[in-house]
Amino acid sequence: MTDYLNRWLDSFASMGAEPLQAAIAEAASHGRSLETVLAEDGRFTEEQVLSKLSALLGIEYRQELRGRDVPAEFKERVPAMFARRHGMVGVGKTNGVMTMATCSPLNVYAIEDVEKRLGMPVQLILAPRSEVAGAIDSAYEDRMDVVDEIVEELDDAGMESLAHQLSATDDLLDVVNKPPVIRLVNSILFRALKMRASDIHVHPYENKLQIRYRIDGVLYDIFSPARSVQPLITSRIKVMAGMDIAERRMPQDGRCSVRIGDREVDLRVSIVPTSYGERVVLRLLDKTTGVYDLDQLGMDSHLHADILSLINMSHGIFFVTGPTGSGKTTTLYACLNRINSAEKNVLTVEDPIEYQLTGISQIQVAAKKGLTFATTLRHVVRQDPDVVMVGEVRDLETARLAIQASLTGHLVFSTLHTNDAPGAVARLLDLGIEPYLASSSLLAVLAQRLVRRICPSCREPYDPDPRVIEQLDVGNLIGPGAQLWRGVGCDECLNTGYHGRMGIYELLMVDDEVRAQIQRHDSAAMMKASAVARGMKTLRMDGAVKAVAGETTLDEVLRVTQRDVF
């Protein structure tokens, strides 16, 4: 091996002695492979480095590992964390010899370690790091979905040592030699991520324990393990989230992060005591999804243009309204993401901070420490901001401070909990905001809901039921004999007919007419009727248009909207 290594290093002589020695020193001091350091140097691609290794060591080089199954012995005896750290994965077994793909063939100690773990010799092939990592993730994912088997292994002895088992940031895929309760919770989390769930509910009943996932806004019963494992699951989640494992009579909140391969997921945990035990809800925030762009939210071209004009205003206040889970924060993040933070000072006050935004200062509210929306906003306006986002206006003090900030040269974004856009104006007045302040500061109000998208893999046309169109009261938007679309259900959409979500919107632009109505204390219904007459689309109208376009269904629009009354 030494002779091969020297010949291989000679082939990189074009780098010069000093850079090559620096690469060797970097690899040695940080415990990294020399080939990885050389590939990151920038003078050679990973393919060039591995090709040279292939020629000098006489090892086959494959650019792809598709269609190769990882043998069961490798998955059972080599932990996922070890395989990923050293870039090694078994891809076949012949006559008692394990064929192993690697991107680090010079890591002889790790190769020998694998041979000892497997109890058999190893034959190497070379492959890019991305291919090896993908094969590792796929292999260990297959081992996660074994809930029933894990539950059978659980016993009361697991409770005593639970608090000392595993740190909260361990990889969900690394289940080799882990206690059953840890593998069970990891499996529950992994299955939720695989099914695109946003929340996990662990709900104890008198005679059973129900695990439920919220997928695309709808709760589904997934499986029901034995009632006896409920304390074990709850205690394990408490350990992960840094909660008090002995406290069972008071509500608790916590948070932690977990990994699944290269993905990092934040968990927000809420536990409340019920008559049949502690009820647990976990919110999953996948950091790899990032922040949506305005173009991805399902806005039509006119609404998109109006929003772009609003976020380029120099001052004023823009509200996004809707119930919890309607995507308000996602819309505001998309707006902030479009603002040039290099030219403008952008600050946010949030509870909680869901995603980190590049170039924007984000402040986490901490009510227990006295850091409320109102107190934080007082200090934020002294930070010379151009744009301020207030996570939510909940009381008169916060509303007044936000409006005062908008009147003193700042562009302010915030959210309210109201059913429609005109209702936000009535809500501000009910809080105690003077009409002249509301009319002079308010730029627009955007109401929104989330509807499920029709699955593109199983969508089919159908003739709608006239009674559904009549119930929607949008017959003018759906002509006679119109052909709509629906999903019939397939493996891609978990047999729901839907895959993913999009927004439906109602934008009330505050013009002279609306300002006059605010001054006259007109009702929300009167404002809505007047705005619709001037061209505003209501939530139901926007939903009906998207149903006709084949993006969602009439049933979805009916599910998330109410009849327009004006």
Side-chain angles (χ1 to χ4, degrees):
M1 179 64 77
T2 304
D3 182 52
Y4 280 125
L5 180 58
N6 289 333
R7 288 169 54 198
W8 184 61
L9 291 175
D10 289 342
S11 69
F12 286 92
S14 60
M15 289 183 65
E18 190 172 327
L20 189 56
Q21 290 300 323
I24 295 172
E26 164 76 11
S29 61
H30 292 87
R32 304 173 67 204
S33 64
L34 179 58
E35 57 269 29
T36 302
V37 175
L38 288 172
E40 292 176 354
D41 180 81
R43 308 186 195 197
F44 301 96
T45 65
E46 182 187 35
E47 183 178 356
Q48 289 174 322
V49 173
L50 292 177
S51 295
K52 286 180 181 291
L53 273 171
S54 175
L56 290 166
L57 299 177
I59 298 174
E60 179 187 0
Y61 172 57
R62 288 180 174 268
Q63 288 189 318
E64 293 185 354
L65 294 177
R66 294 176 188 172
R68 287 178 171 261
D69 294 328
V70 178
E73 293 97 325
F74 191 92
K75 291 185 283 188
E76 290 169 359
R77 300 174 190 175
V78 181
M81 190 174 293
F82 179 93
R84 188 173 294 107
R85 183 187 300 122
H86 297 291
M88 298 174 177
V89 62
V91 292
K93 178 185 171 186
T94 307
N95 298 326
V97 177
M98 178 70 66
T99 301
M100 186 171 73
T102 181
C103 52
S104 301
L106 302 180
N107 192 349
V108 291
Y109 298 112
I111 296 169
E112 291 173 355
D113 195 346
V114 171
E115 288 182 327
K116 288 178 182 178
R117 289 173 183 268
L118 296 174
M120 66 180 76
V122 164
Q123 179 181 354
L124 296 181
I125 64 171
L126 299 184
R129 180 170 294 274
S130 59
E131 288 291 313
V132 173
I136 293 170
D137 287 349
S138 298
Y140 288 90
E141 281 178 7
D142 292 341
R143 292 180 52 80
M144 293 299 300
D145 215 0
V146 288
V147 172
D148 293 335
E149 296 177 19
I150 298 172
V151 170
E152 290 178 7
E153 297 179 42
L154 283 171
D155 54 39
D156 294 335
M159 182 67 80
E160 298 176 5
S161 59
L162 181 64
H164 308 288
Q165 295 292 346
L166 189 65
S167 66
T169 55
D170 271 13
D171 194 331
L172 294 183
L173 299 178
D174 190 14
V175 295
V176 176
N177 299 323
K178 300 301 182 187
V181 66
I182 291 175
R183 289 192 282 128
L184 175 60
V185 173
N186 283 11
S187 183
I188 291 170
L189 291 169
F190 170 75
R191 185 186 285 194
L193 292 167
K194 194 173 182 180
M195 296 175 72
R196 303 178 290 105
S198 60
D199 301 85
I200 303 171
H201 291 235
V202 183
H203 195 166
Y205 293 96
E206 182 178 7
N207 299 314
K208 68 173 183 176
L209 177 67
Q210 189 66 56
I211 308 295
R212 312 173 79 193
Y213 293 165
R214 188 178 294 279
I215 303 170
D216 292 336
V218 178
L219 271 174
Y220 296 93
D221 291 343
I222 302 301
F223 60 96
S224 183
R227 177 72 172 79
S228 59
V229 306
Q230 185 264 332
L232 294 169
I233 292 175
T234 304
S235 297
R236 170 63 192 145
I237 292 171
K238 284 181 178 179
V239 171
M240 293 175 67
M243 298 178 178
D244 183 355
I245 194 172
E247 178 58 72
R248 297 185 178 91
R249 294 179 295 178
M250 294 293 291
Q252 295 189 69
D253 293 320
R255 63 185 303 169
C256 62
S257 294
V258 297
R259 288 200 317 277
I260 175 169
D262 294 328
R263 295 164 61 190
E264 189 165 355
V265 180
D266 276 345
L267 303 181
R268 300 225 174 89
V269 184
S270 172
I271 298 180
V272 296
T274 70
S275 56
Y276 296 118
E278 292 176 290
R279 194 181 196 281
V280 183
V281 175
L282 300 95
R283 168 65 57 88
L284 310 179
L285 294 172
D286 190 346
K287 292 182 179 180
T288 60
T289 58
V291 178
Y292 286 92
D293 190 77
L294 279 173
D295 299 331
Q296 299 173 296
L297 301 183
M299 298 179 179
D300 64 37
S301 57
H302 297 293
L303 177 62
H304 188 269
D306 288 338
I307 297 296
L308 286 179
S309 68
L310 286 168
I311 66 178
N312 287 309
M313 296 282 190
S314 60
H315 62 275
I317 189 164
F318 171 44
F319 282 106
V320 180
T321 78
T324 301
S326 59
K328 301 185 297 294
T329 303
T330 299
T331 298
L332 288 180
Y333 276 4
C335 292
L336 293 178
N337 211 32
R338 276 296 183 98
I339 294 173
N340 189 335
S341 57
E343 297 177 358
K344 294 183 178 180
N345 183 21
V346 184
L347 291 95
T348 74
V349 184
E350 304 175 60
D351 184 24
I353 296 172
E354 294 194 10
Y355 293 101
Q356 296 293 332
L357 300 172
T358 304
I360 293 176
S361 299
Q362 297 170 265
I363 302 170
Q364 169 74 55
V365 167
K368 291 181 180 178
K369 299 178 182 178
L371 197 65
T372 64
F373 278 114
T375 55
T376 308
L377 194 51
R378 282 197 186 92
H379 294 282
V380 162
V381 294
R382 297 172 191 152
Q383 289 283 313
D384 185 32
D386 297 294
V387 180
V388 178
M389 187 191 98
V390 183
E392 184 182 346
V393 169
R394 299 173 179 171
D395 51 46
L396 175 59
E397 186 180 14
T398 307
R400 277 190 173 150
L401 287 168
I403 286 176
Q404 289 293 345
S406 71
L407 292 171
T408 52
H410 308 97
L411 180 61
V412 180
F413 298 98
S414 191
T415 70
L416 276 172
H417 287 287
T418 62
N419 289 327
D420 57 11
V425 178
R427 172 68 176 149
L428 288 175
L429 299 182
D430 287 343
L431 282 173
I433 298 297
E434 292 80 0
Y436 75 91
L437 287 176
S439 62
S440 57
S441 62
L442 203 55
L443 294 174
V445 181
L446 179 72
Q448 69 177 67
R449 300 288 189 278
L450 293 177
V451 294
R452 292 180 290 176
R453 292 181 185 268
I454 299 172
C455 175
S457 300
C458 62
R459 68 198 298 263
E460 67 171 16
Y462 78 104
D463 297 323
D465 188 339
R467 289 174 297 181
V468 175
I469 299 175
E470 182 180 352
Q471 189 178 355
L472 271 171
D473 195 25
V474 288
N476 60 317
L477 298 173
I478 304 175
Q483 191 177 70
L484 301 182
W485 295 82
R486 64 185 174 193
V488 296
C490 64
D491 292 339
E492 291 292 321
C493 62
L494 309 174
N495 292 311
T496 63
Y498 299 98
H499 194 287
R501 290 190 288 177
M502 65 185 301
I504 57 173
Y505 303 96
E506 174 180 300
L507 180 64
L508 175 68
M509 298 292 288
V510 179
D511 53 17
D512 291 339
E513 177 63 27
V514 174
R515 293 189 188 95
Q517 289 175 320
I518 295 173
Q519 295 282 7
R520 294 195 303 263
H521 283 263
D522 285 357
S523 68
M526 293 174 65
M527 287 187 191
K528 191 167 193 173
S530 175
V532 169
R534 297 197 309 276
M536 183 185 82
K537 278 197 299 191
T538 66
L539 288 166
R540 278 209 164 176
M541 291 176 184
D542 191 37
V545 169
K546 285 167 179 168
V548 171
E551 296 175 293
T552 188
T553 64
L554 295 182
D555 289 336
E556 272 296 284
V557 179
L558 274 173
R559 182 178 68 85
V560 304
T561 63
Q562 296 178 338
R563 180 182 291 272
D564 293 320
V565 179
F566 50 83

